[in-house]
Amino acid sequence: MGIVIKNVHILGQEREKRTDVYITGDHIASIGKEPASFLKDEEIDGSHKFLMPGLINCHTHAYMTLMRNYADDLPFHEWLFGRILPMEDELTPEDAYWGTLLGMAEMIRSGTTAFVDMHMFPRMVVKACASSGMRALLTRGLVGSDRHDEGGKMRIEQALDEMEYGKSIGAPCMFGLGPHAIYTCGEDFLRYVTELAHEKGLLINMHLAETKKEFDDCLAEHGMTPVEYAASLGMTDGPAIFAHCVYLGENDFGILANPNVSVATNPASNMKLANGFAPVPRMLKEGIRVALGTDGAGSNNNLNLFTEMHLLTLAHKGNLCDSLVLSAEETVRIATKNGAAAIGREDLGSVEPGKTADLVLIDENAPSMIPNYNRMAAVAYSANGSEVSDVLIGGRIVMRDRQLMTIDEERVHYEVERVASRFRA
Ligand code: NI
């Protein structure tokens, strides 16, 4: 498959320069000059558009679109244990499949090309990735008391099974292990999951230091902060993504400034559940890799990374009374390049020859993009995601002129409404 995007501007390059971008197979073959023996199957007119790398959502639970606007304005523990988990118990794997596809439709429409998911429904997200073509790093959520816990062992088996399943159906997925949190997993269970991750070379994806209660309880129980505790179990010795990291002790910055580790910050979820502000500007200053996530639609209540970038930069400027923190450029880097590094895919996150073609076109005729002074600021501060016109994942067009090519939205909406009708009753 050969695709050329004609006369397009590339985000971050000279303001008036326009060029042609040639895509062969799954990667960018050349920028500017037509490669030898290029066979054109598709041409996209980029003359009123600019091209940017696809956004990478480093923390979500895609199926939780089913819980969108279902549990709001509640304290964290009441939200989680009183509303979200009881609803989750009532969901079937098929429900989760449709909820996941709805999440993918929303993400693609708002320029996200890859996401890190923690889910509770084995094989369902893999199946949805295979049918939508969306890239993901999947981690089946794990809870358990210790390595002999039958339920915990079963969940680990399911996590390993879906890796094989993903390979067998050619889904565009990577896999990791997803212990849910330090307050839902016992110490020996976390140790066991960590040993397994290291043995199999898998990334660990875990919620960490999300709430004040988690921080205080961990200090009381283990005499360590949540980050120190995770490190003491070996969790920072291999690739890991820690979602949230809102509550950090002085020592924690040094522990997290580790090339294995990424922090996925989720400003909307942290604000909505009243957990506060992660110290993102300080983390960046201390050399910690920070990526961006939306968290689930049960606590956001959307999966839109444009909104999330907007909140990220504004929340910290406002919270610290410092308009210089988190510049537009830094914010966009967090949602693209840093995300790519977090999932171990340095071939993503930028528009360069040789890189994998996970790309997003932005319509410069959208009212929120006019006038055109500074595209980087437009992405971080004024875009809302509706300006995304076309999306490519691995060189495949998954949205063309706002039409999704791989997801039957009408069917998805119907199926999700069918699920929701059970909970409205
Ligand atoms: Ni989460």
Side-chain angles (χ1 to χ4, degrees):
M1 185 84 180
I3 301 169
V4 57
I5 306 171
K6 295 288 279 185
N7 202 27
V8 74
H9 180 89
I10 299 173
L11 182 69
Q13 297 199 350
E14 245 178 276
R15 212 169 77 82
E16 294 314 327
K17 203 176 131 205
R18 286 187 175 273
T19 186
D20 303 329
V21 175
Y22 294 89
I23 296 152
T24 308
D26 66 353
H27 67 281
I28 301 170
S30 162
I31 294 177
K33 190 168 174 283
E34 182 170 329
S37 70
F38 178 73
L39 288 176
K40 183 175 78 179
D41 298 294
E42 286 261 11
E43 180 173 320
I44 299 175
D45 176 16
S47 50
H48 298 285
K49 292 174 181 176
F50 68 84
L51 187 64
M52 61 178 285
L55 301 171
I56 300 178
N57 188 345
C58 278
H59 181 72
T60 192
H61 315 273
Y63 72 96
M64 284 179 87
T65 54
L66 297 170
M67 296 155 184
R68 195 197 313 273
N69 307 328
Y70 175 73
D72 300 294
D73 308 324
L74 292 170
F76 180 82
H77 282 81
E78 212 176 311
W79 170 81
L80 181 61
F81 295 104
R83 293 282 283 172
I84 295 297
L85 295 181
M87 179 177 180
E88 195 163 272
D89 286 343
E90 303 287 317
L91 293 174
T92 69
E94 206 202 338
D95 297 342
Y97 173 76
W98 294 111
T100 300
L101 275 178
L102 178 65
M104 290 176 173
E106 185 184 2
M107 285 193 271
I108 292 171
R109 283 194 167 282
S110 51
T112 294
T113 50
F115 67 103
V116 177
D117 204 58
M118 185 189 290
H119 67 80
M120 301 295 165
F121 298 91
R123 291 190 172 201
M124 290 300 122
V125 189
V126 186
K127 238 177 104 178
C129 285
S131 88
S132 69
M134 196 156 181
R135 194 182 301 288
L137 192 163
L138 305 183
T139 61
R140 195 261 185 261
L142 304 172
V143 291
S145 53
D146 57 46
R147 66 187 69 218
H148 308 293
D149 179 336
E150 287 303 325
K153 282 203 293 203
M154 178 196 73
R155 285 180 274 272
I156 291 172
E157 279 309 313
Q158 290 171 339
L160 299 175
D161 164 79
E162 81 169 10
M163 296 176 197
E164 291 307 314
Y165 176 66
K167 259 185 245 157
S168 76
I169 64 169
C173 301
M174 297 171 279
F175 295 91
L177 293 176
H180 173 265
I182 60 169
Y183 57 89
T184 45
C185 296
E187 184 171 338
D188 184 56
F189 186 72
L190 287 174
R191 232 183 258 285
Y192 181 53
V193 170
T194 304
E195 287 162 12
L196 195 65
H198 294 168
E199 182 193 310
K200 296 193 173 288
L202 294 168
L203 175 145
I204 289 173
N205 175 33
M206 183 171 80
H207 299 98
L208 189 64
E210 180 177 5
T211 70
K212 179 81 168 47
K213 180 172 164 35
E214 177 186 342
F215 186 87
D216 292 343
D217 289 354
C218 187
L219 270 185
E221 196 179 330
H222 304 287
M224 289 181 266
T225 67
V227 169
E228 286 170 336
Y229 176 58
S232 78
L233 300 172
M235 296 184 120
T236 52
D237 299 345
I241 296 177
F242 296 127
H244 303 299
C245 295
V246 177
Y247 290 91
L248 299 181
E250 271 307 306
N251 196 24
D252 295 348
F253 291 91
I255 295 173
L256 294 172
N258 170 338
N260 290 328
V261 174
S262 305
V263 172
T265 189
N266 304 269
S269 174
N270 296 155
M271 285 191 275
K272 184 149 189 287
L273 294 171
N275 286 323
F277 301 95
V280 171
R282 171 144 183 224
M283 285 195 235
L284 293 169
K285 209 178 276 175
E286 306 247 4
I288 297 167
R289 188 193 299 118
V290 179
L292 187 61
T294 58
D295 214 344
S299 64
N300 184 304
N301 297 357
N302 62 62
L303 306 183
N304 181 331
L305 277 180
F306 281 93
T307 313
E308 207 68 34
M309 284 192 282
H310 193 186
L311 286 173
L312 172 71
T313 168
L314 264 55
H316 293 291
K317 289 179 199 296
N319 185 40
L320 297 175
C321 297
D322 183 355
S323 55
L324 300 184
V325 300
L326 284 162
S327 67
E329 200 174 344
E330 216 165 11
T331 302
V332 174
R333 192 187 320 126
I334 285 172
T336 53
K337 263 200 153 153
N338 288 12
I343 61 172
R345 292 292 302 263
E346 315 271 356
D347 60 316
L348 305 174
S350 62
V351 184
E352 290 168 72
K355 298 270 177 153
T356 297
D358 283 16
L359 301 170
V360 167
L361 280 157
I362 305 287
D363 178 8
E364 294 186 301
N365 285 335
S368 49
M369 296 291 100
I370 297 172
N372 170 16
Y373 294 123
N374 177 340
R375 292 184 179 91
M376 203 61 87
V379 169
Y381 300 130
S382 58
N384 56 51
S386 67
E387 305 83 354
V388 174
S389 62
D390 309 82
V391 177
L392 287 85
I393 300 177
R396 177 182 185 194
I397 302 174
V398 295
M399 184 165 83
R400 181 91 196 247
D401 291 328
R402 299 290 297 162
Q403 284 295 315
L404 294 187
M405 311 299 285
T406 57
I407 298 175
D408 178 351
E409 282 184 288
E410 209 175 311
R411 172 89 194 271
V412 171
H413 296 179
Y414 169 81
E415 297 290 351
V416 170
E417 278 300 334
R418 195 181 47 76
V419 177
S421 65
R422 299 204 320 257
F423 293 92
R424 264 189 219 109

